Amino acid sequence: MSDKHTPNALLPDNIAALTAYSSAKSEKLTGTTWLNANESPYSRETSISLAALNRYPDPQPASVINRYARYANLEPEQVLMTRGADEGIELLVRTYCEPAKDSIALFLPTYGMYKVTADTHNVAVNGLTQELLLEGTVDDIVDAVGNAKLVFICNPNNPTGSLTSVEKISAIAKRLTDKALVIVDEAYIEFCPSHSATRLINEFANLVVLRTLSKAFALAGLRTGFTLASAAVLAPIRKVIAPYPVSTVVASIASEALSGDAITSMRRQVTILNALKEKLTQWLNASTSVLKVINGEGNFVTLKLADKSAFNRALEQGLVMRAFTLYGENDWLRISIGNEQELEQVKIWLDSLVPSNRSVKQDVL
Ligand SMILES: *Cc1c(COP(=O)(O)O)cnc(C)c1O
């Protein structure tokens, strides 16, 4: 049957050309140890009331907004609650970019949703490199950004863990005043809080910070994120966002997660996870089955395997990690920092690789 007799004939070209975003969870993998989605190993109980669900929720629940503002050291009007940081990305593109005309800039390799969102909205992508962002001068970077409306800086960057200094972000924002919004995605900032760019929000009207409860706050299932920016940047986004984006249930749990005690316990967990990351990095550096280890910030470590089949060996052992193509090479792997037991599974897998490596080398000789 030809395409024109199917609903596909109705699709705009940019939608027909989309390939579905392959998130860590959409891949149909089976396993027992899940270290592929940068989730926290900690889960918590909640005791929320389910009364009053006959009423529509507060569109921007005051208790959550006030608590997050206090946590981020901002004013409540500088905080927008969204369904994950992913919705923040989408709202920025929908609000600030004109389809078929505007573009966004990003620094590869980086988080996949910026491009997916741009493609979905028929907005062009100016794909620059992390190398330019980290080693280039502010002049080089601003030149390369060209007339992109939105500039996404993932900090620390997923999946490389690299950090761009707040000074550099500040200089870029300054140069792009009235030209572009500089969006700093701080999904992993709790693992290196002194590097946050939120303090620049009061200084630059074009600076936006994205945050989430999915990583250090251990609430990936809740779908809660925050877009932090000047009230002037958020005002048009407030017109575009759905009328009741946040359910009453989500708001209650998010508010609980932002109590003083809960933030203290999150910080304690971060300390433990950062220490486990060091331990894992040492194991990886010592393994002959690993060629390179990128030990950056964030709750993950990214590495290049000596032999790609090691990934399948892990799956056979029930150990699920995230395979990546980086720098055109398909033998990279990202390991999320789980609990001690889960990382022990990684150690068992690493140790199981050594003999087969040796025998391969002997075969060659
Ligand atoms: C996980 C992640 C997000 C998505 O966060 P949600 O709040 O779960 O939508 C955004 N940005 C980066 C860089 C991430 O790694």
Side-chain angles (χ1 to χ4, degrees):
M1 194 163 70
S2 96
D3 231 26
K4 70 174 190 273
H5 298 295
T6 73
N8 284 348
L10 303 175
L11 291 175
D13 291 344
N14 67 306
I15 301 295
L18 291 177
T19 47
Y21 179 64
S22 160
S23 68
K25 276 297 160 70
S26 60
E27 291 160 15
K28 295 266 179 296
L29 296 168
T30 53
T32 49
T33 304
W34 294 90
L35 300 177
N36 66 332
N38 295 348
E39 294 151 336
S40 169
Y42 298 99
S43 65
R44 48 217 252 50
E45 293 297 316
T46 179
S47 55
I48 50 149
S49 154
L50 291 180
L53 286 182
N54 56 319
R55 302 296 176 192
Y56 277 105
D58 184 346
Q60 286 291 304
S63 147
V64 180
I65 297 296
N66 290 336
R67 285 180 172 189
Y68 203 85
R70 192 176 323 137
Y71 167 67
N73 212 1
L74 292 169
E75 296 301 321
E77 68 260 26
Q78 296 170 313
V79 178
L80 179 76
M81 183 179 182
T82 58
R83 288 168 290 205
D86 281 353
E87 192 189 27
I89 296 166
E90 189 186 275
L91 285 166
L92 285 158
V93 169
R94 283 171 59 205
T95 305
Y96 282 96
C97 295
E98 190 168 327
K101 178 172 165 239
D102 288 333
S103 62
I104 66 165
L106 44 79
F107 301 91
L108 297 162
T110 194
Y111 186 52
M113 279 307 289
Y114 315 133
K115 177 175 157 48
V116 169
T117 306
D119 289 348
T120 309
H121 293 90
N122 201 12
V123 165
V125 175
N126 180 4
L128 307 170
T129 65
Q130 279 289 313
E131 199 184 354
L132 171 69
L133 179 65
L134 298 173
E135 271 138 51
T137 64
V138 172
D139 280 342
D140 295 339
I141 295 164
V142 168
D143 282 351
V145 158
N147 52 14
K149 273 268 188 79
L150 307 179
V151 180
F152 284 94
I153 299 177
C154 188
N155 208 40
N157 187 49
N158 176 7
T160 58
S162 56
L163 270 176
T164 306
S165 72
V166 175
E167 291 68 34
K168 196 168 204 176
I169 292 170
S170 160
I172 295 169
K174 187 170 187 179
R175 288 283 305 276
L176 292 174
T177 302
D178 297 328
K179 296 195 188 94
L181 292 184
V182 175
I183 297 150
V184 187
D185 184 341
E186 295 189 343
Y188 300 97
I189 203 68
E190 281 81 10
F191 296 94
C192 53
S194 64
H195 295 276
S196 175
T198 46
R199 62 189 141 99
L200 301 178
I201 288 173
N202 289 315
E203 201 176 333
F204 299 106
N206 61 331
L207 195 104
V208 180
V209 173
L210 294 170
R211 292 284 189 84
T212 182
L213 297 189
S214 297
K215 307 288 162 54
F217 279 93
L219 286 169
L222 193 66
R223 309 307 304 129
T224 294
F226 298 92
T227 302
L228 312 176
S230 66
V233 166
L234 294 182
I237 301 178
R238 294 184 194 279
K239 297 193 261 182
V240 172
I241 195 170
Y244 300 105
V246 177
S247 96
T248 307
V249 178
V250 167
S252 307
I253 299 172
S255 175
E256 243 181 37
L258 293 166
S259 71
D261 282 357
I263 290 173
T264 302
S265 111
M266 176 278 286
R267 289 191 173 124
R268 204 162 39 226
Q269 292 167 3
V270 161
T271 304
I272 295 168
L273 292 171
N274 277 342
L276 288 172
K277 178 170 68 182
E278 291 314 313
K279 189 156 122 180
L280 173 64
T281 303
Q282 283 171 14
W283 292 345
L284 293 169
N285 278 325
S287 169
T288 53
S289 307
V290 174
L291 293 185
K292 268 179 241 170
V293 183
I294 315 182
N295 176 26
E297 307 298 328
N299 64 340
F300 54 87
V301 175
T302 300
L303 57 102
K304 182 174 164 65
L305 291 166
D307 178 354
K308 201 182 151 224
S309 70
F311 177 70
N312 294 325
R313 290 284 293 273
L315 287 181
E316 286 161 18
Q317 296 171 19
L319 173 60
V320 186
M321 300 170 288
R322 185 85 193 264
F324 266 99
T325 295
L326 287 188
Y327 317 108
E329 304 160 348
N330 66 1
D331 48 9
W332 287 85
L333 202 58
R334 190 192 65 196
I335 308 178
S336 307
I337 307 304
N339 62 27
E340 200 131 9
Q341 264 168 320
E342 290 168 325
L343 293 191
E344 202 51 48
Q345 290 301 308
V346 177
K347 181 83 166 74
I348 290 168
W349 163 69
L350 279 173
D351 292 345
S352 78
L353 297 175
V354 176
S356 80
N357 252 16
R358 288 209 179 113
S359 69
V360 170
K361 280 176 192 156
Q362 279 162 6
D363 287 347
V364 174
L365 292 171

